[in-house]
């Protein structure tokens, strides 16, 4: 199955680049139907345009959270999005948005990558918080999104070490390399085998 995804970015879009590369290399059977950003200056949008992808950039400034989300949902309607793929999208999504992607199986078709081993080090600074805590092993989590921040059924986790002479920069660089391998792999597994193949527990996490 060729997965139709909308990729959401707020920043430099290195995960978007990794996903595009995997598609172009034939390792990921997916099509990016739209790249969405809340930051019209995000470098990720430049990456998208360079690859001829459709972009939808809408600043959240001056809009309520609900108004902003509604305009994005409206734009995505009709594009046949199978999964929303959050790749450094630094906005918390409310249930108004999530419900637009509610699956009959009882989950939201929204995936996130987080730069720590959840449930540790939630929030916007996963690398910095794990490094400052002094962890010897950290990792990356890819998970389905629910109404709680950095929470929802885990699809994959991959660990990486913090080495004795690491700085935050070298630690983060090691983690990003893991992200760029893991996210396309997870999406390929969904495209090839379905979302259930990645879950240890049944999908009944959506509150009604
Ligand atoms: C990535 O490290 C991603 O895991 C993180 O933002 C970065 C985006 O980088 N996401 C979060 O912290 C979400 N809580 P990118 O724009 O280069 O892909």
């Amino acid at each position: 199955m060729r997965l139709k995804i909308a990729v959401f970015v707020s920043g430099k879009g290195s995960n978007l680049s990794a996903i595009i590369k995997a598609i172009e290399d034939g390792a990921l059977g997916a099509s990016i139907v739209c790249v969405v950003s809340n930051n019209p200056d995000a470098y990720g949008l430049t990456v998208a345009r360079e690859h001829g992808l459709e972009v939808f950039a809408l600043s959240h400034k001056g809009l309520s959270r609900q108004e902003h989300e509604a305009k994005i949902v409206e734009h995505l309607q009709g594009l046949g999005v199978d999964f929303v793929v959050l790749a450094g999208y630094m906005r918390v999504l409310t249930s108004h948005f999530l419900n637009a992607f509610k699956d009959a199986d009882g989950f939201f078709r929204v995936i996130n990558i987080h730069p720590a081993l959840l449930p540790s080090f939630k929030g916007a600074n996963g690398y910095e918080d794990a490094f400052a805590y002094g962890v010897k092993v950290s990792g990356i989590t890819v998970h389905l999104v629910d109404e709680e921040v950095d929470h929802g059924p885990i699809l994959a986790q991959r660990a990486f070490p913090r080495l004795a002479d690491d700085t935050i920069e070298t630690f983060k660089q090691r983690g990003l390399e893991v992200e760029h391998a893991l996210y396309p792999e997870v999406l390929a597994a969904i495209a090839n085998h379905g979302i259930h193949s990645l879950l240890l527990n049944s999908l009944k996490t959506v509150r009604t």
Side-chain angles (χ1 to χ4, degrees):
M1 164 186 160
R2 205 162 177 85
L3 211 60
K4 284 187 170 181
I5 59 175
V7 182
F8 283 37
V9 300
S10 297
K12 70 181 191 296
S14 67
N15 277 287
L16 170 65
S17 293
I19 292 167
I20 292 171
K21 184 172 186 318
I23 292 171
E24 288 178 352
D25 289 351
L28 167 57
S31 304
I32 299 175
V33 295
C34 191
V35 174
V36 174
S37 184
N38 65 310
N39 172 14
D41 299 323
Y43 185 69
L45 291 174
T46 304
V47 171
R49 290 191 184 100
E50 279 172 2
H51 288 269
L53 298 172
E54 191 209 304
V55 306
F56 182 69
L58 180 67
S59 172
H60 56 275
K61 289 177 191 159
L63 295 175
S64 72
R65 199 172 280 276
Q66 207 171 320
E67 284 168 344
H68 185 246
E69 290 182 348
K71 284 180 190 295
I72 296 172
V73 168
E74 189 186 332
H75 184 81
L76 294 180
Q77 258 160 17
L79 295 182
V81 174
D82 294 313
F83 281 92
V84 167
V85 174
L86 306 180
Y89 187 68
M90 302 315 250
R91 299 274 300 166
V92 173
L93 295 168
T94 72
S95 53
H96 294 288
F97 180 92
L98 296 175
N99 277 318
F101 293 94
K102 191 169 174 176
D103 191 89
D105 267 356
F107 66 95
F108 300 120
R109 291 179 285 109
V110 181
I111 303 171
N112 185 41
I113 189 162
H114 184 73
L117 290 174
L118 291 176
S120 294
F121 307 114
K122 295 176 179 179
N125 304 301
Y127 283 121
E128 290 78 5
D129 293 345
F131 189 84
Y133 195 88
V135 297
K136 299 219 169 183
V137 173
S138 193
I140 304 301
T141 303
V142 178
H143 65 99
L144 283 174
V145 172
D146 67 13
E147 297 98 330
E148 288 178 47
V149 176
D150 294 327
H151 187 269
I154 288 173
L155 301 174
Q157 290 185 306
R158 189 165 295 165
F160 65 91
R162 179 220 178 115
L163 304 180
D165 59 352
D166 265 346
T167 62
I168 180 62
E169 286 77 24
T170 57
F171 177 72
K172 196 169 174 176
Q173 187 51 41
R174 189 172 306 111
L176 277 166
E177 283 168 23
V178 175
E179 292 193 45
H180 299 160
L182 186 63
Y183 220 176
E185 280 177 34
V186 169
L187 296 173
I190 295 170
N192 295 338
H193 308 296
I195 191 83
H196 291 271
S197 69
L198 294 171
L199 288 156
L200 298 175
N201 301 319
S202 63
L203 281 166
K204 287 292 168 204
T205 60
V206 175
R207 292 182 204 102
T208 50

